[in-house]
Amino acid sequence: MKLLVIGSGGREHAIAWKLAQSPRVQKVYVAPGNAGTALEPNIENLPITDFAELISFVENENIAFTVVGPEAPLAAGVVDCFRVRGLKIFGPTRKAAQLESSKDFAKQFMVKNNIPTAHYQTFTDAAAARAYVDEMGAPIVIKADGLAAGKGVVVAMTLTEAHAAIGNMLPGDDGGKSRVVIEEFLQGEEASFIVMCDGQSALPLATSQDHKRLLDGDAGPNTGGMGAYSPAPVVTPEIHARVMREVIQPVLTGMALDGLPFTGFLYAGLMISPEGDIKVLEFNCRMGDPETQPIMMRLKTDLVDLMEAALDYKLSEASTDWDRRVALGIVMAAAGYPDAPRKGDVINGLPAATAEGHVFHAGTTERDGKVVTNGGRVLCVTALGDTVKQAQRAAYALCDQIQFDGAQFRRDIGHRAVRR
């Protein structure tokens, strides 16, 4: 069979790589893909992003099913477009994807369905937002309402930072179209909890934890994610069962009751307090990046089988098998990331893939036969090990082989698990 993955990042590289390992797959197309997907066996890049052109390709090439990687096409309704033509596609509809595309929608939904989350208020007026922040005090969390590629959140430790964030997110010259959600600051340890959904049932994937801040010791600005590892020891078997019961099932039930049955990947970003309380920080309607890369490294089950179960509404009959080892991925980012990433730097020393280590590409492209940087997060260097420490050592050994001007990456990915 032939398959299509929509997207160009590290998440899409990892999903396509895993799908291509199935003995039933002849070819996986990635639209538009990157320099890394172009080099993989049985994977071919497809330089198309227009929905109508993608649909024509799928129909002409007899593609068995399509998987959507990033959030932007989901929010733009790619699933709706494919389904109208009777084509199989894994992802939520545009309205269901509001769980990610609108922070305000997600918060209202959580409150209505008794899903534990931080106290919040939504504002379109900057003066009202500033008054609320002054009343509540810092630290406090300011979130842009729409899609922001993982970067629309400011954890303001001072009132000055909070007011600056409000000024950036509510410019005041867009006729009140912008909205911000202002939330209480939560203490604890974050974890990423990702499941596959078919509208009725959910199949949990391996747990993971990512590192959002740019610099070692969780310092510096928030990014789309500087590294991740799986499994996340903070998600104990008891917490896992509670998340399925108190978060995931209420989402499926609530969305179905609202006439928006949720299909696709559902990502719950969790804050787990030292006492073991769970609160949802955010929902994403796709797999996380960079969490996907370590998760796919550990998945032993044929991903095609899982996708088909989800598309046939039979996820309740499916199960997963995981490598018992730890997988850890380190993001190598471009010079100037996250504010103004530089493009066009030549990447040298890319190591060959092995069963224990794989370099997943994100912001890369090919130019004159060379791989060059083409975005903020350039690579996710991922390795397996018997312990977090061993996976960490193996991944950093691969990072040290790779060179490009201005490369930046953290040296402490996985530090919380190592401390445990």
Side-chain angles (χ1 to χ4, degrees):
M1 65 169 74
K2 293 186 281 188
L3 309 175
L4 173 65
V5 174
I6 294 176
S8 64
R11 165 186 42 232
E12 291 77 45
H13 185 173
I15 290 170
W17 168 79
K18 195 70 203 174
L19 289 169
Q21 289 174 14
S22 172
R24 299 163 54 209
V25 168
Q26 174 192 345
K27 185 168 283 187
V28 180
Y29 294 94
V30 188
N34 57 45
T37 50
L39 297 168
E40 293 280 0
N42 301 337
I43 296 179
E44 187 177 317
N45 285 352
L46 184 67
I48 299 175
T49 52
D50 179 77
F51 294 175
E53 288 181 46
L54 286 171
I55 286 167
S56 295
F57 177 84
V58 165
E59 290 175 335
N60 293 336
E61 288 293 324
N62 199 20
I63 300 294
F65 62 80
T66 299
V67 183
V68 189
E71 59 275 25
L74 294 169
V78 68
V79 170
D80 311 67
C81 295
F82 272 60
R83 284 192 183 166
V84 164
R85 300 295 286 266
L87 300 172
K88 286 191 169 186
I89 182 166
F90 189 66
T93 61
R94 184 181 63 80
K95 283 187 172 173
Q98 287 178 101
L99 272 180
E100 175 170 12
S101 63
S102 169
K103 299 279 189 289
D104 183 55
F105 175 93
K107 295 296 279 192
Q108 288 189 44
F109 176 84
M110 284 188 264
V111 169
K112 184 171 83 174
N113 290 281
N114 296 315
I115 295 167
T117 190
H119 296 302
Y120 82 104
Q121 291 280 342
T122 300
F123 298 91
T124 53
D125 177 70
R130 291 178 193 283
Y132 180 74
V133 160
D134 286 338
E135 182 192 337
M136 300 309 289
I140 197 160
V141 181
I142 320 289
K143 295 181 175 182
D145 181 54
L147 292 181
K151 295 189 281 286
V153 177
V154 173
V155 180
M157 301 313 287
T158 64
L159 288 176
T160 306
E161 282 179 70
H163 285 299
I166 291 166
N168 288 333
M169 294 180 197
L170 289 179
D173 55 9
D174 66 349
K177 288 199 288 285
S178 296
R179 285 191 296 189
V180 295
V181 171
I182 302 181
E183 291 184 357
E184 68 170 322
F185 174 78
L186 298 176
Q187 294 277 12
E189 190 169 342
E190 288 188 43
S192 305
F193 198 100
I194 304 171
V195 299
M196 296 177 74
C197 302
D198 64 7
Q200 302 145 347
S201 305
L203 179 71
L205 300 178
T207 60
S208 56
Q209 186 176 73
D210 80 333
H211 297 255
K212 280 272 182 271
R213 292 193 179 264
L214 182 70
L215 304 172
D216 285 10
D218 299 312
N222 258 340
T223 71
M226 292 302 293
Y229 63 96
S230 172
V234 69
V235 184
T236 61
E238 185 217 2
I239 286 176
H240 193 286
R242 281 180 52 208
V243 174
M244 289 299 289
R245 189 172 65 243
E246 297 171 21
V247 177
I248 303 301
Q249 199 51 55
V251 171
L252 287 173
T253 304
M255 291 295 275
L257 286 171
D258 289 346
L260 304 171
F262 192 91
T263 53
F265 292 111
L266 176 67
Y267 169 123
L270 306 174
M271 181 66 83
I272 300 164
S273 77
E275 299 76 40
D277 292 328
I278 302 161
K279 288 199 173 166
V280 177
L281 296 171
E282 63 174 351
F283 286 121
N284 293 329
C285 295
R286 32 84 192 182
M287 287 194 79
D289 187 343
E291 295 97 332
T292 305
Q293 294 87 316
I295 289 171
M296 288 296 138
M297 283 286 283
R298 291 187 59 222
L299 180 64
K300 292 168 82 171
T301 313
D302 191 326
L303 183 57
V304 172
D305 293 345
L306 299 180
M307 290 287 177
E308 287 184 330
L311 291 162
D312 294 337
Y313 306 102
K314 291 179 180 172
L315 265 185
S316 59
E317 300 167 24
S319 61
T320 51
D321 186 21
W322 299 96
D323 193 310
R324 57 170 184 75
R325 290 174 294 177
V326 174
L328 185 140
I330 298 147
V331 169
M332 298 186 74
Y337 180 77
D339 297 327
R342 190 170 74 206
K343 296 183 179 182
D345 289 310
V346 176
I347 304 169
N348 292 307
L350 286 165
T354 67
E356 277 73 45
H358 204 96
V359 178
F360 295 104
H361 289 232
T364 66
T365 191
E366 197 186 335
R367 196 182 65 203
D368 304 327
K370 294 186 171 75
V371 177
V372 301
T373 62
N374 192 43
R377 293 184 298 166
V378 178
L379 305 167
C380 183
V381 182
T382 313
L384 288 161
D386 286 328
T387 63
V388 180
K389 199 88 182 137
Q390 285 182 2
Q392 202 182 43
R393 206 174 296 131
Y396 279 112
L398 293 174
C399 284
D400 290 336
Q401 296 177 40
I402 302 167
Q403 302 95 35
F404 57 91
D405 285 347
Q408 45 176 341
F409 58 96
R410 284 179 56 163
R411 282 276 173 192
D412 65 346
I413 300 302
H415 66 84
R416 289 188 199 89
V418 170
R419 265 210 315 276
R420 280 172 180 267

Short mmCIF file of all heavy atoms in Angstrom, two decimals, residues 178-239:
data_model
loop_
_atom_site.label_atom_id
_atom_site.label_comp_id
_atom_site.label_asym_id
_atom_site.label_seq_id
_atom_site.Cartn_x
_atom_site.Cartn_y
_atom_site.Cartn_z
N SER A 178 -7.81 39.95 18.58
CA SER A 178 -6.91 39.13 19.40
C SER A 178 -7.52 38.86 20.76
O SER A 178 -8.26 39.70 21.30
CB SER A 178 -5.56 39.84 19.59
OG SER A 178 -4.92 39.99 18.35
N ARG A 179 -7.19 37.67 21.29
CA ARG A 179 -7.64 37.31 22.64
C ARG A 179 -6.47 36.70 23.39
O ARG A 179 -5.63 36.04 22.79
CB ARG A 179 -8.77 36.26 22.57
CG ARG A 179 -10.10 36.82 22.15
CD ARG A 179 -11.23 35.82 22.36
NE ARG A 179 -11.09 34.64 21.53
CZ ARG A 179 -12.03 33.71 21.41
NH1 ARG A 179 -13.16 33.82 22.09
NH2 ARG A 179 -11.85 32.67 20.64
N VAL A 180 -6.45 36.92 24.70
CA VAL A 180 -5.49 36.22 25.54
C VAL A 180 -6.23 35.48 26.64
O VAL A 180 -7.28 35.93 27.12
CB VAL A 180 -4.42 37.14 26.18
CG1 VAL A 180 -3.53 37.77 25.13
CG2 VAL A 180 -5.05 38.17 27.08
N VAL A 181 -5.67 34.34 27.01
CA VAL A 181 -6.13 33.60 28.17
C VAL A 181 -5.08 33.78 29.25
O VAL A 181 -3.89 33.54 29.01
CB VAL A 181 -6.31 32.10 27.82
CG1 VAL A 181 -6.57 31.28 29.07
CG2 VAL A 181 -7.45 31.93 26.81
N ILE A 182 -5.50 34.23 30.43
CA ILE A 182 -4.57 34.44 31.55
C ILE A 182 -4.90 33.42 32.63
O ILE A 182 -6.05 33.31 33.06
CB ILE A 182 -4.66 35.88 32.09
CG1 ILE A 182 -4.35 36.88 30.94
CG2 ILE A 182 -3.70 36.08 33.26
CD1 ILE A 182 -4.38 38.33 31.35
N GLU A 183 -3.89 32.64 33.01
CA GLU A 183 -4.09 31.51 33.91
C GLU A 183 -3.24 31.63 35.16
O GLU A 183 -2.16 32.24 35.14
CB GLU A 183 -3.67 30.19 33.23
CG GLU A 183 -4.55 29.75 32.11
CD GLU A 183 -4.09 28.40 31.56
OE1 GLU A 183 -3.07 27.84 32.01
OE2 GLU A 183 -4.78 27.91 30.67
N GLU A 184 -3.72 30.96 36.22
CA GLU A 184 -2.89 30.84 37.42
C GLU A 184 -1.63 30.02 37.10
O GLU A 184 -1.64 29.15 36.23
CB GLU A 184 -3.68 30.18 38.56
CG GLU A 184 -4.01 28.72 38.31
CD GLU A 184 -4.58 28.00 39.51
OE1 GLU A 184 -4.13 28.26 40.64
OE2 GLU A 184 -5.47 27.16 39.31
N PHE A 185 -0.56 30.32 37.79
CA PHE A 185 0.71 29.60 37.65
C PHE A 185 0.63 28.31 38.47
O PHE A 185 0.25 28.34 39.64
CB PHE A 185 1.85 30.49 38.14
CG PHE A 185 3.19 29.83 38.18
CD1 PHE A 185 3.93 29.64 37.03
CD2 PHE A 185 3.72 29.40 39.40
CE1 PHE A 185 5.18 29.04 37.08
CE2 PHE A 185 4.97 28.79 39.46
CZ PHE A 185 5.70 28.61 38.28
N LEU A 186 0.98 27.19 37.85
CA LEU A 186 0.92 25.89 38.54
C LEU A 186 2.33 25.38 38.83
O LEU A 186 3.22 25.49 37.98
CB LEU A 186 0.19 24.86 37.67
CG LEU A 186 -1.28 25.15 37.34
CD1 LEU A 186 -1.82 24.08 36.39
CD2 LEU A 186 -2.13 25.22 38.60
N GLN A 187 2.50 24.81 40.00
CA GLN A 187 3.78 24.21 40.38
C GLN A 187 3.73 22.71 40.10
O GLN A 187 2.68 22.09 40.25
CB GLN A 187 4.03 24.40 41.88
CG GLN A 187 4.23 25.84 42.30
CD GLN A 187 5.64 26.35 42.10
OE1 GLN A 187 6.46 25.70 41.45
NE2 GLN A 187 5.94 27.50 42.66
N GLY A 188 4.86 22.13 39.72
CA GLY A 188 4.92 20.69 39.54
C GLY A 188 5.81 20.30 38.38
O GLY A 188 6.65 21.08 37.93
N GLU A 189 5.60 19.09 37.90
CA GLU A 189 6.40 18.55 36.79
C GLU A 189 5.48 18.28 35.61
O GLU A 189 4.41 17.69 35.76
CB GLU A 189 7.09 17.26 37.25
CG GLU A 189 8.14 16.76 36.27
CD GLU A 189 9.01 15.63 36.85
OE1 GLU A 189 9.06 15.46 38.09
OE2 GLU A 189 9.64 14.93 36.04
N GLU A 190 5.92 18.72 34.42
CA GLU A 190 5.09 18.53 33.23
C GLU A 190 5.30 17.15 32.62
O GLU A 190 6.38 16.56 32.74
CB GLU A 190 5.43 19.60 32.18
CG GLU A 190 4.94 20.98 32.55
CD GLU A 190 5.13 21.97 31.41
OE1 GLU A 190 4.84 21.61 30.25
OE2 GLU A 190 5.57 23.11 31.68
N ALA A 191 4.27 16.65 31.96
CA ALA A 191 4.38 15.41 31.19
C ALA A 191 3.48 15.52 29.97
O ALA A 191 2.49 16.26 29.97
CB ALA A 191 3.99 14.21 32.04
N SER A 192 3.84 14.79 28.93
CA SER A 192 3.05 14.75 27.70
C SER A 192 2.34 13.40 27.63
O SER A 192 2.99 12.36 27.69
CB SER A 192 3.96 14.92 26.47
OG SER A 192 4.72 16.11 26.59
N PHE A 193 1.02 13.45 27.50
CA PHE A 193 0.21 12.23 27.49
C PHE A 193 -0.53 12.20 26.16
O PHE A 193 -1.44 12.99 25.93
CB PHE A 193 -0.76 12.25 28.67
CG PHE A 193 -1.33 10.91 29.03
CD1 PHE A 193 -0.81 10.18 30.09
CD2 PHE A 193 -2.39 10.37 28.32
CE1 PHE A 193 -1.34 8.93 30.43
CE2 PHE A 193 -2.92 9.13 28.64
CZ PHE A 193 -2.40 8.40 29.71
N ILE A 194 -0.11 11.31 25.26
CA ILE A 194 -0.64 11.29 23.89
C ILE A 194 -1.41 10.00 23.65
O ILE A 194 -0.92 8.91 23.98
CB ILE A 194 0.50 11.44 22.87
CG1 ILE A 194 1.31 12.72 23.15
CG2 ILE A 194 -0.05 11.46 21.44
CD1 ILE A 194 2.58 12.88 22.34
N VAL A 195 -2.61 10.13 23.09
CA VAL A 195 -3.43 8.96 22.76
C VAL A 195 -3.89 9.04 21.31
O VAL A 195 -3.94 10.13 20.73
CB VAL A 195 -4.66 8.86 23.70
CG1 VAL A 195 -4.25 8.70 25.16
CG2 VAL A 195 -5.58 10.07 23.56
N MET A 196 -4.24 7.89 20.75
CA MET A 196 -4.91 7.83 19.46
C MET A 196 -6.40 7.68 19.73
O MET A 196 -6.79 6.91 20.61
CB MET A 196 -4.42 6.63 18.64
CG MET A 196 -2.96 6.70 18.28
SD MET A 196 -2.38 5.22 17.39
CE MET A 196 -3.10 5.49 15.76
N CYS A 197 -7.23 8.42 18.98
CA CYS A 197 -8.68 8.40 19.22
C CYS A 197 -9.44 8.05 17.93
O CYS A 197 -9.04 8.46 16.84
CB CYS A 197 -9.16 9.77 19.67
SG CYS A 197 -8.37 10.38 21.16
N ASP A 198 -10.55 7.33 18.10
CA ASP A 198 -11.39 7.02 16.94
C ASP A 198 -12.81 7.58 17.10
O ASP A 198 -13.74 7.17 16.41
CB ASP A 198 -11.45 5.50 16.68
CG ASP A 198 -12.10 4.71 17.81
OD1 ASP A 198 -12.65 5.33 18.74
OD2 ASP A 198 -12.07 3.46 17.75
N GLY A 199 -12.96 8.54 18.03
CA GLY A 199 -14.26 9.13 18.27
C GLY A 199 -14.96 8.54 19.48
O GLY A 199 -15.78 9.21 20.11
N GLN A 200 -14.64 7.26 19.78
CA GLN A 200 -15.28 6.58 20.91
C GLN A 200 -14.25 6.09 21.91
O GLN A 200 -14.42 6.21 23.12
CB GLN A 200 -16.09 5.38 20.41
CG GLN A 200 -17.16 5.75 19.40
CD GLN A 200 -17.37 4.69 18.33
OE1 GLN A 200 -16.57 3.76 18.18
NE2 GLN A 200 -18.45 4.82 17.58
N SER A 201 -13.16 5.51 21.40
CA SER A 201 -12.13 4.89 22.25
C SER A 201 -10.81 5.62 22.09
O SER A 201 -10.57 6.29 21.08
CB SER A 201 -11.94 3.42 21.87
OG SER A 201 -13.17 2.74 21.94
N ALA A 202 -9.95 5.43 23.10
CA ALA A 202 -8.61 6.02 23.05
C ALA A 202 -7.58 4.95 23.37
O ALA A 202 -7.77 4.15 24.29
CB ALA A 202 -8.49 7.17 24.04
N LEU A 203 -6.50 4.94 22.62
CA LEU A 203 -5.39 4.01 22.85
C LEU A 203 -4.19 4.84 23.27
O LEU A 203 -3.66 5.63 22.47
CB LEU A 203 -5.08 3.23 21.56
CG LEU A 203 -3.93 2.23 21.65
CD1 LEU A 203 -4.34 1.02 22.50
CD2 LEU A 203 -3.50 1.78 20.26
N PRO A 204 -3.72 4.70 24.52
CA PRO A 204 -2.59 5.52 24.96
C PRO A 204 -1.28 5.08 24.33
O PRO A 204 -1.02 3.89 24.18
CB PRO A 204 -2.57 5.31 26.48
CG PRO A 204 -3.28 4.02 26.73
CD PRO A 204 -4.26 3.83 25.60
N LEU A 205 -0.47 6.07 23.95
CA LEU A 205 0.90 5.81 23.49
C LEU A 205 1.82 5.93 24.70
O LEU A 205 1.39 6.25 25.79
CB LEU A 205 1.28 6.79 22.39
CG LEU A 205 0.40 6.73 21.13
CD1 LEU A 205 0.83 7.78 20.12
CD2 LEU A 205 0.42 5.34 20.50
N ALA A 206 3.10 5.65 24.51
CA ALA A 206 4.06 5.74 25.61
C ALA A 206 4.10 7.17 26.15
O ALA A 206 3.97 8.13 25.39
CB ALA A 206 5.44 5.32 25.13
N THR A 207 4.30 7.30 27.45
CA THR A 207 4.39 8.63 28.05
C THR A 207 5.72 9.29 27.68
O THR A 207 6.68 8.61 27.29
CB THR A 207 4.28 8.55 29.59
OG1 THR A 207 5.36 7.74 30.07
CG2 THR A 207 2.95 7.97 30.02
N SER A 208 5.77 10.60 27.80
CA SER A 208 6.99 11.33 27.46
C SER A 208 7.03 12.64 28.23
O SER A 208 6.04 13.05 28.83
CB SER A 208 7.07 11.58 25.95
OG SER A 208 5.92 12.28 25.51
N GLN A 209 8.18 13.28 28.19
CA GLN A 209 8.34 14.60 28.81
C GLN A 209 9.24 15.43 27.90
O GLN A 209 10.25 14.92 27.42
CB GLN A 209 8.97 14.46 30.20
CG GLN A 209 9.03 15.78 30.97
CD GLN A 209 9.58 15.59 32.37
OE1 GLN A 209 10.77 15.36 32.53
NE2 GLN A 209 8.73 15.66 33.38
N ASP A 210 8.82 16.67 27.63
CA ASP A 210 9.69 17.51 26.80
C ASP A 210 10.23 18.67 27.62
O ASP A 210 9.81 18.91 28.75
CB ASP A 210 8.97 17.98 25.53
CG ASP A 210 8.04 19.16 25.75
OD1 ASP A 210 7.54 19.30 26.88
OD2 ASP A 210 7.80 19.92 24.80
N HIS A 211 11.21 19.34 27.06
CA HIS A 211 11.89 20.47 27.71
C HIS A 211 11.61 21.70 26.86
O HIS A 211 12.13 21.82 25.75
CB HIS A 211 13.39 20.22 27.78
CG HIS A 211 13.78 19.03 28.61
ND1 HIS A 211 14.33 19.15 29.87
CD2 HIS A 211 13.69 17.71 28.37
CE1 HIS A 211 14.56 17.93 30.36
NE2 HIS A 211 14.18 17.05 29.47
N LYS A 212 10.79 22.61 27.38
CA LYS A 212 10.31 23.73 26.59
C LYS A 212 11.31 24.89 26.50
O LYS A 212 11.32 25.63 25.52
CB LYS A 212 9.01 24.27 27.18
CG LYS A 212 7.78 23.44 26.79
CD LYS A 212 7.19 23.94 25.48
CE LYS A 212 5.95 23.18 25.07
NZ LYS A 212 6.24 21.99 24.26
N ARG A 213 12.12 25.08 27.54
CA ARG A 213 12.95 26.29 27.55
C ARG A 213 14.26 26.08 26.79
O ARG A 213 14.76 24.97 26.66
CB ARG A 213 13.19 26.76 28.98
CG ARG A 213 11.88 27.27 29.61
CD ARG A 213 12.15 28.02 30.88
NE ARG A 213 10.91 28.52 31.47
CZ ARG A 213 10.44 29.75 31.29
NH1 ARG A 213 11.08 30.60 30.52
NH2 ARG A 213 9.33 30.13 31.89
N LEU A 214 14.79 27.19 26.30
CA LEU A 214 15.93 27.14 25.38
C LEU A 214 17.22 26.66 26.04
O LEU A 214 18.02 25.97 25.41
CB LEU A 214 16.15 28.55 24.80
CG LEU A 214 17.27 28.70 23.76
CD1 LEU A 214 16.91 28.00 22.46
CD2 LEU A 214 17.54 30.18 23.48
N LEU A 215 17.43 27.02 27.31
CA LEU A 215 18.76 26.86 27.91
C LEU A 215 18.77 25.81 29.02
O LEU A 215 17.73 25.48 29.60
CB LEU A 215 19.23 28.20 28.48
CG LEU A 215 19.25 29.37 27.47
CD1 LEU A 215 19.55 30.68 28.19
CD2 LEU A 215 20.25 29.11 26.36
N ASP A 216 19.97 25.31 29.31
CA ASP A 216 20.15 24.33 30.38
C ASP A 216 19.52 24.84 31.68
O ASP A 216 19.49 26.05 31.94
CB ASP A 216 21.64 24.07 30.63
CG ASP A 216 22.26 23.20 29.54
OD1 ASP A 216 21.57 22.95 28.52
OD2 ASP A 216 23.41 22.76 29.71
N GLY A 217 19.07 23.90 32.51
CA GLY A 217 18.47 24.26 33.78
C GLY A 217 17.10 24.89 33.62
O GLY A 217 16.62 25.59 34.52
N ASP A 218 16.47 24.66 32.45
CA ASP A 218 15.14 25.20 32.17
C ASP A 218 15.13 26.73 32.32
O ASP A 218 14.23 27.32 32.92
CB ASP A 218 14.07 24.56 33.07
CG ASP A 218 13.98 23.05 32.83
OD1 ASP A 218 13.92 22.65 31.65
OD2 ASP A 218 14.00 22.27 33.80
N ALA A 219 16.14 27.36 31.73
CA ALA A 219 16.23 28.82 31.70
C ALA A 219 15.98 29.30 30.27
O ALA A 219 15.94 28.52 29.33
CB ALA A 219 17.60 29.27 32.18
N GLY A 220 15.84 30.63 30.13
CA GLY A 220 15.67 31.20 28.80
C GLY A 220 14.22 31.14 28.33
O GLY A 220 13.33 30.71 29.05
N PRO A 221 13.98 31.61 27.09
CA PRO A 221 12.61 31.71 26.59
C PRO A 221 11.98 30.34 26.30
O PRO A 221 12.69 29.36 26.06
CB PRO A 221 12.77 32.51 25.28
CG PRO A 221 14.18 32.26 24.85
CD PRO A 221 14.97 32.09 26.11
N ASN A 222 10.65 30.30 26.30
CA ASN A 222 9.93 29.11 25.85
C ASN A 222 10.17 28.90 24.36
O ASN A 222 10.25 29.86 23.59
CB ASN A 222 8.42 29.28 26.08
CG ASN A 222 7.94 28.54 27.32
OD1 ASN A 222 8.60 27.62 27.79
ND2 ASN A 222 6.81 28.94 27.83
N THR A 223 10.27 27.64 23.96
CA THR A 223 10.44 27.29 22.54
C THR A 223 9.37 26.27 22.18
O THR A 223 8.53 25.92 23.00
CB THR A 223 11.82 26.66 22.29
OG1 THR A 223 11.82 25.35 22.89
CG2 THR A 223 12.94 27.49 22.86
N GLY A 224 9.45 25.76 20.95
CA GLY A 224 8.57 24.66 20.56
C GLY A 224 8.97 23.35 21.21
O GLY A 224 8.24 22.36 21.11
N GLY A 225 10.12 23.32 21.90
CA GLY A 225 10.61 22.10 22.55
C GLY A 225 12.04 21.82 22.16
O GLY A 225 12.37 21.74 20.99
N MET A 226 12.93 21.69 23.15
CA MET A 226 14.37 21.51 22.90
C MET A 226 14.83 20.06 23.09
O MET A 226 16.02 19.77 22.97
CB MET A 226 15.16 22.43 23.82
CG MET A 226 14.99 23.90 23.50
SD MET A 226 15.44 24.36 21.81
CE MET A 226 17.21 24.07 21.85
N GLY A 227 13.90 19.16 23.39
CA GLY A 227 14.28 17.77 23.57
C GLY A 227 13.19 17.06 24.33
O GLY A 227 12.31 17.69 24.93
N ALA A 228 13.22 15.73 24.30
CA ALA A 228 12.19 14.95 24.99
C ALA A 228 12.72 13.55 25.23
O ALA A 228 13.68 13.11 24.59
CB ALA A 228 10.92 14.88 24.14
N TYR A 229 12.05 12.85 26.17
CA TYR A 229 12.42 11.45 26.40
C TYR A 229 11.17 10.66 26.76
O TYR A 229 10.14 11.23 27.18
CB TYR A 229 13.50 11.33 27.48
CG TYR A 229 13.08 11.81 28.83
CD1 TYR A 229 12.59 10.92 29.78
CD2 TYR A 229 13.13 13.17 29.16
CE1 TYR A 229 12.19 11.37 31.04
CE2 TYR A 229 12.73 13.62 30.40
CZ TYR A 229 12.25 12.71 31.33
OH TYR A 229 11.84 13.16 32.56
N SER A 230 11.24 9.37 26.57
CA SER A 230 10.13 8.46 26.86
C SER A 230 10.72 7.16 27.41
O SER A 230 11.73 6.70 26.90
CB SER A 230 9.35 8.18 25.57
OG SER A 230 8.39 7.15 25.77
N PRO A 231 10.08 6.58 28.46
CA PRO A 231 8.89 7.02 29.16
C PRO A 231 9.20 8.12 30.17
O PRO A 231 10.36 8.37 30.49
CB PRO A 231 8.42 5.74 29.88
CG PRO A 231 9.69 4.98 30.14
CD PRO A 231 10.59 5.27 28.96
N ALA A 232 8.11 8.77 30.69
CA ALA A 232 8.25 9.80 31.71
C ALA A 232 7.96 9.18 33.08
O ALA A 232 6.82 8.83 33.36
CB ALA A 232 7.28 10.95 31.44
N PRO A 233 8.98 9.04 33.94
CA PRO A 233 8.76 8.37 35.22
C PRO A 233 7.75 9.07 36.13
O PRO A 233 7.17 8.44 37.01
CB PRO A 233 10.15 8.33 35.87
CG PRO A 233 11.06 9.07 34.98
CD PRO A 233 10.38 9.40 33.71
N VAL A 234 7.50 10.38 35.91
CA VAL A 234 6.54 11.10 36.73
C VAL A 234 5.12 10.55 36.54
O VAL A 234 4.27 10.66 37.43
CB VAL A 234 6.60 12.62 36.45
CG1 VAL A 234 6.08 12.96 35.05
CG2 VAL A 234 5.83 13.41 37.51
N VAL A 235 4.87 9.92 35.37
CA VAL A 235 3.55 9.31 35.13
C VAL A 235 3.58 7.87 35.65
O VAL A 235 3.93 6.93 34.93
CB VAL A 235 3.16 9.36 33.64
CG1 VAL A 235 1.74 8.81 33.45
CG2 VAL A 235 3.24 10.78 33.11
N THR A 236 3.23 7.73 36.91
CA THR A 236 3.19 6.40 37.53
C THR A 236 1.98 5.64 37.00
O THR A 236 1.07 6.24 36.40
CB THR A 236 3.06 6.54 39.06
OG1 THR A 236 1.81 7.22 39.32
CG2 THR A 236 4.21 7.33 39.66
N PRO A 237 1.92 4.31 37.19
CA PRO A 237 0.73 3.57 36.76
C PRO A 237 -0.57 4.14 37.32
O PRO A 237 -1.59 4.19 36.62
CB PRO A 237 1.00 2.15 37.28
CG PRO A 237 2.48 2.03 37.32
CD PRO A 237 2.97 3.41 37.70
N GLU A 238 -0.53 4.63 38.58
CA GLU A 238 -1.75 5.19 39.18
C GLU A 238 -2.15 6.49 38.48
O GLU A 238 -3.33 6.71 38.17
CB GLU A 238 -1.50 5.46 40.67
CG GLU A 238 -2.73 5.93 41.41
CD GLU A 238 -2.46 6.98 42.49
OE1 GLU A 238 -1.29 7.39 42.66
OE2 GLU A 238 -3.43 7.38 43.15
N ILE A 239 -1.15 7.36 38.20
CA ILE A 239 -1.45 8.62 37.51
C ILE A 239 -1.93 8.34 36.09
O ILE A 239 -2.87 8.97 35.61
CB ILE A 239 -0.22 9.56 37.55
CG1 ILE A 239 -0.09 10.13 38.97
CG2 ILE A 239 -0.34 10.68 36.52
CD1 ILE A 239 1.12 11.00 39.21
#
